[in-house]
Every structure is written in structure tokens, then in C-alpha cells.
Amino acid sequence: MAKYFDVHPENPQPRTIRQVADSIRDGALVVYPTDSCFALGCRLGSRDGVERIRTIRQLDDRHHFTLVCRDFAQLGQFVHVDKDVFRAIKASTPGSYTFILPATREVPRKLLHPKKKTVGVRIPDHAVAQALLDELGEPLLSSTLLLPGEEEPMTQGWEIKERLDHVVDAVIDSGDCGTEPTTVVDFSGGEAEIVRKGAGDTSRFE
């Protein structure tokens, strides 16, 4: 049965955030809010967490997982970023964007695109997500909480708790989340390629 945490959207309770971060370190799979929509998250090295996300979302091995990072310095540990790409990403973060980039050796092979050796990274503009990342001290391995056969993500924490009670370990609820996932921009070829138009403004990459 999943634990349910009701947190303040702008000033999340440190004790609660610490409790969730501890559970993630112990291998928990959690649902947490972001600046686009709710996401599934687990520790970067958690094989069990990865497989559980794949099962919940019915994903194949071509799916790009996302490393949700606290800041640009942390992001730079996990992906290769050249000068031009650096400026473009820096100007867009934090925000509702996911960037696909060549991964460094810090990223477990199982998380990479099998052919391109790339991974998605993002820095969310959301107080609760940032508080969790600060406490955790490492990225969250994440995927949008979009269930198979459904066109839009769920927006209510209590509904997520009811539907996923036996397949996730915790739900963090800070109020309504949006239904529009991040804008995905692929920089792995050197030029910006918009893979998905979402919550982030695409004009700067077109």
C-alpha cells in the first residue's frame, strides 16, 4: 500500500521531504509533482525501480528515461554538453523541457537508448520537486505518469493513490498538476530537433 504525503506546493515540509528521500534511497518508487505533470521517480541505480516503471507504463527498451536534476552542475555530470548546446539549455532551465543528449559513463547502460547511447535530462521549475532533489543529493530517474491507453496524465494525487496503491510506494501530493508533459528537444545530433511539443515554449529552438 502506497504512503500518501500531502505537502505545501511552495513551502514543502522538510520532515516529509526527508522521509520521502530516505524511502527513495531504500529503493522506493514514488509519484511526485513537477512543473509539467506528475512523474514516476526512483533512485538512479535502482534496477527494480526501472522495471516497475516499464511495467506500469508498458514501455519498451527504446523509451528514453529522464534524469531529473537539481541544477545545471548536476546535469553536467550525466550528459555531454558542448558550448552552443550549453547556452541553449542554460537559458531554458529550470523549466518544462527535457533534453536528449549523449550520456556520460555515470549513467547505467540499461537506461540508455540502445543505439544512440543517449538519455533525457531536465531541471524542473517546481518547489516540491526541487526540495526533493536537494534532499536526495542526486538525480531522480523519472518518467511521466501516463498510463497505457490514456491520452492525458492524471492530475489528482488522491486519484493516483487509489489507482496505483499496490504498484508504487509513495505519492506526494501538492495540489493539481498540469496535463501537458515537457517539451522534448533532441540535441544528440548537435542541432536542436523538437521531438515533442509540450509545456515548454518551442520558439527558441525552431
Side-chain angles (χ1 to χ4, degrees), residues 70-82:
R70 176 182 59 209
D71 53 28
F72 208 89
Q74 191 178 71
L75 180 149
Q77 298 174 36
F78 297 93
V79 289
H80 296 288
V81 186
D82 66 27

Side-chain angles (χ1 to χ4, degrees), residues 27-83:
L29 175 63
V30 306
V31 176
Y32 70 101
T34 75
D35 50 344
S36 56
C37 45
F38 278 104
L40 292 157
C42 67
R43 195 171 188 182
L44 177 58
S46 174
R47 290 187 179 184
D48 177 66
V50 172
E51 292 310 315
R52 290 167 71 187
I53 292 173
R54 286 193 194 279
T55 300
I56 291 168
R57 292 206 52 202
Q58 295 181 13
L59 301 172
D60 61 27
D61 63 1
R62 294 189 302 272
H63 176 76
H64 264 113
F65 281 95
T66 299
L67 302 184
V68 179
C69 300
R70 176 182 59 209
D71 53 28
F72 208 89
Q74 191 178 71
L75 180 149
Q77 298 174 36
F78 297 93
V79 289
H80 296 288
V81 186
D82 66 27
K83 289 182 180 179

Side-chain angles (χ1 to χ4, degrees), residues 40 52-60 143-154 163-164 167:
L40 292 157
R52 290 167 71 187
I53 292 173
R54 286 193 194 279
T55 300
I56 291 168
R57 292 206 52 202
Q58 295 181 13
L59 301 172
D60 61 27
S143 183
T144 301
L145 180 51
L146 181 61
L147 296 181
E150 299 191 5
E151 293 184 4
E152 290 191 344
M154 287 181 283
R163 292 189 60 183
L164 301 182
V167 292

Side-chain angles (χ1 to χ4, degrees), residues 32 34-37 39 63-69 75 79 85 89 92-101 118-124 140 142-144 180-188 192-202 205:
Y32 70 101
T34 75
D35 50 344
S36 56
C37 45
H63 176 76
H64 264 113
F65 281 95
T66 299
L67 302 184
V68 179
C69 300
L75 180 149
V79 289
V85 173
I89 295 178
S92 308
T93 55
S96 301
Y97 297 92
T98 298
F99 301 101
I100 298 173
L101 290 158
T118 51
V119 71
V121 287
R122 70 170 300 220
I123 303 171
L140 267 171
S142 290
S143 183
T144 301
E180 197 170 17
T182 57
T183 290
V184 179
V185 184
D186 188 344
F187 274 112
S188 61
E193 178 188 348
I194 298 167
V195 177
R196 179 180 71 198
K197 291 189 176 184
D201 179 16
T202 59
F205 302 109

Side-chain angles (χ1 to χ4, degrees), residues 123-192:
I123 303 171
D125 188 13
H126 192 284
V128 176
Q130 279 289 345
L132 184 57
L133 291 164
D134 276 342
E135 181 63 36
L136 195 59
E138 60 184 70
L140 267 171
L141 172 65
S142 290
S143 183
T144 301
L145 180 51
L146 181 61
L147 296 181
E150 299 191 5
E151 293 184 4
E152 290 191 344
M154 287 181 283
T155 61
Q156 304 284 340
W158 62 266
E159 181 189 6
I160 294 168
K161 157 74 171 159
E162 283 187 357
R163 292 189 60 183
L164 301 182
D165 204 20
H166 297 289
V167 292
V168 300
D169 301 303
V171 176
I172 307 174
D173 189 1
S174 62
D176 287 4
C177 248
T179 58
E180 197 170 17
T182 57
T183 290
V184 179
V185 184
D186 188 344
F187 274 112
S188 61
E191 299 288 331

